[in-house]
Amino acid sequence: MARRRQSVTIKHVAADAGVSLQTVSRVINNEPNVRPAMKERVQASIDKLGYVPSIAAQRMSGSRSYLILAINDRDLTIADWRAREGRDWVDQMLLGGMLTCAEHGYRMLIELVDTHSDHVERELGAALAALQPDGVILTPPHSENPLITGLLAERGIPFARIGSKQDGPGIAMTMGDTHNAQLATDHLIELGHERIGFIAGPKEFSLAGWRIEGWEKTMADAGLPTDGLCERGDFGFESGILAASNLLDAAEPPTAIIASSDQMALATIEVARKRGLDIPRDLSLVSFDNSPIVRFTQPPLTAVDQPISATIARAVELLIEARKKAPPKEPVSVHGELVVRGSTAGPGRRGDS
Amino acid sequence: MARRRQSVTIKHVAADAGVSLQTVSRVINNEPNVRPAMKERVQASIDKLGYVPSIAAQRMSGSRSYLILAINDRDLTIADWRAREGRDWVDQMLLGGMLTCAEHGYRMLIELVDTHSDHVERELGAALAALQPDGVILTPPHSENPLITGLLAERGIPFARIGSKQDGPGIAMTMGDTHNAQLATDHLIELGHERIGFIAGPKEFSLAGWRIEGWEKTMADAGLPTDGLCERGDFGFESGILAASNLLDAAEPPTAIIASSDQMALATIEVARKRGLDIPRDLSLVSFDNSPIVRFTQPPLTAVDQPISATIARAVELLIEARKKAPPKEPVSVHGELVVRGSTAGPGRRGDS
DNA sequence: ATGAAAGCGCTAACAC
DNA sequence: GTGTTAGCGCTTTCAT
């Protein structure tokens, strides 16, 4: 294998334009102190030769690596991929992240890290040392892992914490969970529901709590009860079966349920079906995530669309900006939307779809 | 922002172990000519200091970049991500690619390239110059684009062509399309079907033709007819409607249909439903891809599982090996499997599920 | 506003 | 077997 060198380097451009390396470098990096005429001449050579800087060399000389690293939980991610149940969290991350990176000449790279292991620091440290990314995006459940955030802070690498409002280093970002839960609750209230149950996520996820808050607040504002109408699940199907059963077994069961994940919504459909409850006639249902499967259920689910793509896109922008200006200290929130489909209707109504 | 340098470099290790840089380098790269005792001592220092080589520096000094670049079609990929219809092609690529890369200390990076544009070469050339990957994975429809394969060959970068059997530079790889189509056809023949229709993909995709071959051969071997039983689609839903309609409008319509994509299978379900044909009683249906949605249809579809993950994993291995030994000249094939679900049964039978 | 020199962390080539 | 030297392509000082 021929030793592969850069085919056209900054030297070639400098020679072609008849200037020093430094001037070419200045043009590439859009730095000041280059006369327009000069800049144009250099740019012409760059275009002519098809020159593209080597990010390895740029990184070596102490500047940027043009790499943004997104850290996902290894086990959860691999489980999703293997299960092939249509969870497109990673795809949405790529959609927002890759395209935004590309706009700025960056690339996004995904790294799987095992949160539970005791060598998180070694794993992450190795990735940081090897790649030297200019920014890191942490997704739950990594976002609030102090071993991880501490390491990043210590190394001075800008990072975003998706799904975290905590104080501390890094940019806290949320997908508007409280707001999104309000949207769902409002929708049901407007349809005439008064007893609205909520299937929450596990305590380990901060965002699970924020969603409860949104629901509770909206219910309280409307003068509606929430007592005994909230059950916890773990986002998975089985836990949804239990939670939905508990809610529907109550003396005064809800006429509508908001589930904090698509899997728990699927479970609720199953529980309703077993009890002969028609959705949406006897029970309205709203789910969170809006992953692909919700359109293939009977009926298709009204769902909160978590703005994964938009949030990651924003994270990338903030991380790239972090080189120049201080990142926001307050949590950054990107709101989701409610997508209305056939699983919600007024109490006792058939639904329109 | 503090200028970020490598925290612990090869120098620190060399100093700690009391040896030269070169010896450390030899240990890192598992090269010969290092006495076991020496190697152990150096390794101890590496572990102690938590040293991890910088891939930028490794790349700079003319060795590997430890990067594998997977090239996907920009428009198709973004369309899939935005549509959120559960196509998990990219996820399966990541599953096979990232994990295999990780095993060898490599990373996989996805790059979206626009095939149709006239600046493919510039786009790809820029990515190659910037990242200098050690290997490239081409997916359809890039795999047989001579502009792309030519550029890669010219630069001497090892690459794999997924979904291509053509001669020429690079490693040709298939996902066993012919074999997979035979599996599907055999399954239907065993159930007792004699008129088996085939909805093929577009001519631009070589693999569409291979699938037809598999079906035709199996039918011929069984002494069954294929005349008038093959329609072309473009893998999309609308084309599937047309193709399925044509097949079912025939004087002697098939009792079973094999669709070359999940979307075309979905379309076939729709056409059957409109004509009051029950699946699988009146019509058996097999689809290709086995993407997540096929489990959510009524009934769930018997489908050919295209071994995306395994194929990409194999590609990564071959590319990494390419540094040392010559890659295979013959096409490499990874076979898929048939996943039997509720959409296939004997002619006139209800099916067991 | 431009150029020259030094060095980033690592490995190939050669010396010993 | 091990150490030394040079240099990869680029950006950072620092001069001019």
Side-chain angles (χ1 to χ4, degrees):
Chain A
M1 183 60 43
R3 175 131 162 241
R4 203 176 334 112
R5 289 222 189 70
Q6 191 87 338
S7 41
V8 33
T9 75
I10 197 170
K11 278 188 192 166
H12 299 111
V13 177
D16 184 85
V19 297
S20 74
L21 302 184
Q22 191 44 36
T23 304
V24 179
S25 174
R26 287 193 178 103
V27 173
I28 298 168
N29 296 294
N30 236 318
E31 279 170 21
N33 294 343
V34 184
R35 231 168 305 199
M38 177 98 286
K39 183 167 176 174
E40 217 168 297
R41 197 170 82 199
V42 173
Q43 189 58 54
S45 292
I46 291 177
D47 294 343
K48 186 176 107 195
L49 302 176
Y51 167 70
V52 177
S54 151
I55 66 164
Q58 293 187 122
R59 165 56 235 165
M60 277 303 293
S61 55
S63 97
R64 288 158 285 181
S65 66
Y66 293 97
L67 256 29
I68 300 286
L69 194 62
I71 314 278
N72 274 26
D73 184 79
R74 170 176 289 125
D75 293 343
L76 291 177
T77 305
I78 294 179
D80 278 351
W81 286 342
R82 286 206 212 282
R84 303 196 71 172
E85 282 168 357
R87 295 208 53 200
D88 62 348
W89 164 266
V90 172
D91 300 73
Q92 295 303 305
M93 288 183 66
L94 290 172
L95 175 56
M98 281 186 52
L99 298 190
T100 310
C101 276
E103 283 171 21
H104 299 268
Y106 282 67
R107 325 261 159 178
M108 188 169 90
L109 204 45
I110 293 188
E111 183 86 7
L112 302 182
V113 170
D114 197 345
T115 323
H116 306 298
S117 92
D118 47 346
H119 42 256
V120 206
E121 285 177 283
R122 255 204 305 116
E123 272 192 42
L124 180 60
L128 297 179
L131 296 166
Q132 310 190 95
D134 292 335
V136 171
I137 297 174
L138 261 28
T139 59
H142 293 309
S143 318
E144 298 187 338
N145 182 334
L147 259 42
I148 293 182
T149 55
L151 183 61
L152 256 7
E154 184 189 317
R155 305 230 179 159
I157 302 175
F159 65 100
R161 289 179 268 121
I162 310 292
S164 172
K165 283 183 190 169
Q166 286 181 2
D167 257 2
I171 307 167
M173 300 190 71
T174 80
M175 305 211 280
D177 296 271
T178 309
H179 168 264
N180 301 353
Q182 288 181 344
L183 283 182
T185 312
D186 269 335
H187 171 64
L188 292 169
I189 292 175
E190 275 167 26
L191 287 171
H193 292 276
E194 300 189 341
R195 291 194 66 78
I196 302 172
F198 197 89
I199 303 180
K203 292 206 176 70
E204 302 85 76
F205 284 73
S206 298
L207 57 84
W210 305 334
R211 293 178 186 175
I212 297 178
E213 286 167 21
W215 164 72
E216 275 178 342
K217 180 172 186 317
T218 312
M219 293 294 276
D221 287 354
L224 297 173
T226 54
D227 276 4
L229 285 169
C230 181
E231 289 282 329
R232 287 264 186 189
D234 64 5
F235 288 138
F237 187 87
E238 288 306 325
S239 75
I241 294 281
L242 192 64
S245 303
N246 285 345
L247 286 175
L248 295 174
D249 278 343
E252 266 191 287
T255 60
I257 288 180
I258 301 172
S260 293
S261 77
D262 287 334
Q263 284 300 319
M264 299 197 297
L266 251 48
T268 304
I269 293 180
E270 183 60 18
V271 170
R273 196 186 58 73
K274 283 225 173 108
R275 290 166 198 236
L277 298 176
D278 180 79
I279 294 177
R281 197 192 58 208
D282 308 317
L283 181 71
S284 280
L285 180 60
V286 180
S287 82
F288 265 79
D289 290 350
N290 195 32
S291 64
I293 51 170
V294 300
R295 286 186 284 190
F296 293 93
T297 55
Q298 281 305 330
L301 297 182
T302 293
V304 167
D305 185 66
Q306 292 291 97
I308 302 169
S309 158
T311 304
I312 302 294
R314 189 84 194 93
V316 166
E317 280 171 354
L318 290 170
L319 291 173
I320 292 177
E321 283 172 11
R323 267 174 45 81
K324 309 199 159 178
K325 73 174 177 221
K329 282 315 285 177
E330 288 303 297
V332 175
S333 182
V334 179
H335 286 182
E337 285 171 15
L338 187 72
V339 181
V340 178
R341 297 198 184 86
S343 67
T344 46
R349 296 280 216 64
R350 289 295 309 277
D352 296 329
S353 47
Chain B
M1 184 58 44
R3 176 129 163 241
R4 203 175 336 110
R5 288 223 190 70
Q6 190 88 336
S7 41
V8 37
T9 74
I10 197 170
K11 279 189 191 165
H12 299 113
V13 178
D16 185 84
V19 297
S20 74
L21 303 183
Q22 192 47 30
T23 303
V24 179
S25 173
R26 288 193 178 104
V27 172
I28 298 167
N29 297 294
N30 238 319
E31 280 170 19
N33 294 341
V34 185
R35 227 168 305 200
M38 178 98 287
K39 182 167 177 173
E40 218 168 296
R41 198 169 85 203
V42 173
Q43 189 59 53
S45 292
I46 290 176
D47 293 344
K48 186 176 108 194
L49 301 176
Y51 167 70
V52 177
S54 151
I55 65 163
Q58 293 188 124
R59 164 54 235 167
M60 276 305 292
S61 57
S63 97
R64 289 159 284 181
S65 65
Y66 293 98
L67 256 29
I68 300 286
L69 194 61
I71 313 279
N72 275 25
D73 183 80
R74 171 176 288 123
D75 293 343
L76 291 177
T77 306
I78 294 178
D80 277 351
W81 285 341
R82 285 206 213 283
R84 302 196 71 171
E85 281 169 357
R87 295 207 54 199
D88 63 346
W89 165 265
V90 172
D91 299 73
Q92 294 304 304
M93 286 183 67
L94 290 171
L95 175 57
M98 281 185 53
L99 299 190
T100 310
C101 276
E103 283 171 22
H104 299 267
Y106 282 68
R107 325 260 159 178
M108 187 170 92
L109 203 46
I110 293 188
E111 184 86 6
L112 302 182
V113 170
D114 197 347
T115 323
H116 305 299
S117 93
D118 46 347
H119 41 255
V120 206
E121 285 176 283
R122 254 204 305 115
E123 273 192 41
L124 180 60
L128 297 179
L131 297 167
Q132 309 190 98
D134 291 336
V136 171
I137 297 174
L138 260 28
T139 59
H142 293 310
S143 317
E144 298 186 338
N145 182 332
L147 259 40
I148 293 182
T149 55
L151 183 59
L152 256 7
E154 183 189 316
R155 304 230 180 159
I157 302 175
F159 65 100
R161 289 179 269 123
I162 310 292
S164 172
K165 283 182 189 169
Q166 286 180 2
D167 257 3
I171 307 166
M173 300 190 71
T174 80
M175 306 209 282
D177 295 270
T178 308
H179 168 265
N180 301 352
Q182 289 182 342
L183 284 182
T185 312
D186 270 335
H187 171 65
L188 292 168
I189 292 175
E190 275 168 24
L191 286 171
H193 292 277
E194 300 188 341
R195 291 193 68 76
I196 301 172
F198 197 88
I199 303 181
K203 291 205 177 72
E204 300 86 75
F205 284 72
S206 297
L207 56 84
W210 305 334
R211 292 177 187 176
I212 297 179
E213 287 167 19
W215 163 72
E216 274 178 343
K217 181 174 186 315
T218 312
M219 294 294 277
D221 287 353
L224 298 173
T226 54
D227 275 3
L229 285 169
C230 182
E231 289 282 329
R232 287 264 186 190
D234 65 5
F235 289 139
F237 187 87
E238 288 307 324
S239 76
I241 294 282
L242 192 64
S245 302
N246 286 345
L247 286 176
L248 295 174
D249 279 343
E252 265 193 286
T255 60
I257 288 180
I258 301 171
S260 292
S261 78
D262 286 334
Q263 284 300 321
M264 298 197 296
L266 251 48
T268 305
I269 292 180
E270 184 59 21
V271 170
R273 197 186 57 74
K274 284 226 172 106
R275 292 166 195 236
L277 298 176
D278 180 80
I279 295 176
R281 195 193 57 210
D282 307 317
L283 181 70
S284 279
L285 180 60
V286 180
S287 82
F288 265 78
D289 289 349
N290 195 31
S291 64
I293 52 170
V294 299
R295 286 186 282 190
F296 293 94
T297 55
Q298 281 305 331
L301 297 182
T302 293
V304 168
D305 185 66
Q306 292 291 97
I308 303 169
S309 157
T311 305
I312 302 293
R314 189 83 195 95
V316 166
E317 280 171 353
L318 290 171
L319 290 173
I320 292 176
E321 282 172 11
R323 267 174 44 80
K324 309 199 159 176
K325 74 174 176 221
K329 283 312 286 175
E330 288 303 298
V332 175
S333 182
V334 179
H335 286 182
E337 285 172 15
L338 187 71
V339 182
V340 178
R341 298 200 183 85
S343 67
T344 45
R349 295 280 215 65
R350 289 295 309 278
D352 297 330
S353 45

